Amino acid sequence: MADSTFDAGQRAMSKDGGQVIRFPMPGRAAARPVLAASVAVFREGKVLLATRTKPPADQLWSLPGGKVEAGETLEQAALRELDEEVGVTARILGFNRHVEIFGRDAKGAVTHHFVVASFVGEWLSGEPQPGPEAGAVMWADPLKIGGLATTRELGDVLRRAHSLFAASGSA
């Protein structure tokens, strides 16, 4: 989260005063799933990928995205995260699918659980840049990501996104 501060109790606070929930929280099980959104942005037949810089998927290639904030739609969250993470603007063409990401500790307790609504988008402007949440960025062939360390289910998400993008007439 780019604009967070800390309150007197040292809990991270978002720019609008809401508490930022960080995962995984050592020694505490996740209370409930966290809603997030991502977008597969296409430009000249390639899709934008970025490496994550924070757990639970640090160093893995994935789609730009993050947590949905109160009062914003899933699409708004996906586009905001795209801009915050890599400096790119896009338009949403449609919904792709959802992905669930969760983990457990050695005792079997849930450490994190995200439900990510993944969209398909078309690039409008901005050259992707790495930042605090995106360690590296690249435009990749969505059907040829073999050999990359990726988040779980990214290959299927990209295949579906590619099909939806091609069917949209924007390709």
Side-chain angles (χ1 to χ4, degrees), residues 49-146:
L49 299 179
T51 57
R52 310 300 306 170
T53 61
K54 298 177 182 175
D58 55 325
Q59 306 305 311
L60 299 179
W61 289 96
S62 192
L63 298 174
K67 297 175 196 147
V68 177
E69 294 181 358
E72 70 183 349
T73 66
L74 295 170
E75 288 107 341
Q76 289 169 334
L79 294 174
R80 175 187 50 77
E81 287 287 344
L82 176 68
D83 181 50
E84 288 178 3
E85 287 189 3
V86 296
V88 167
T89 303
R91 71 181 179 102
I92 298 290
L93 298 174
F95 178 74
N96 184 3
R97 58 168 285 201
H98 81 279
V99 176
E100 292 193 61
I101 303 162
F102 57 93
R104 297 183 185 275
D105 65 16
K107 295 180 181 177
V110 176
T111 57
H112 57 276
H113 185 169
F114 294 93
V115 178
V116 183
S118 184
F119 293 89
V120 178
E122 179 178 29
W123 176 87
L124 295 176
S125 66
E127 293 305 322
Q129 301 293 318
E133 295 182 39
V137 294
M138 74 168 162
W139 293 101
D141 183 324
L143 303 178
K144 296 180 182 176
I145 60 165

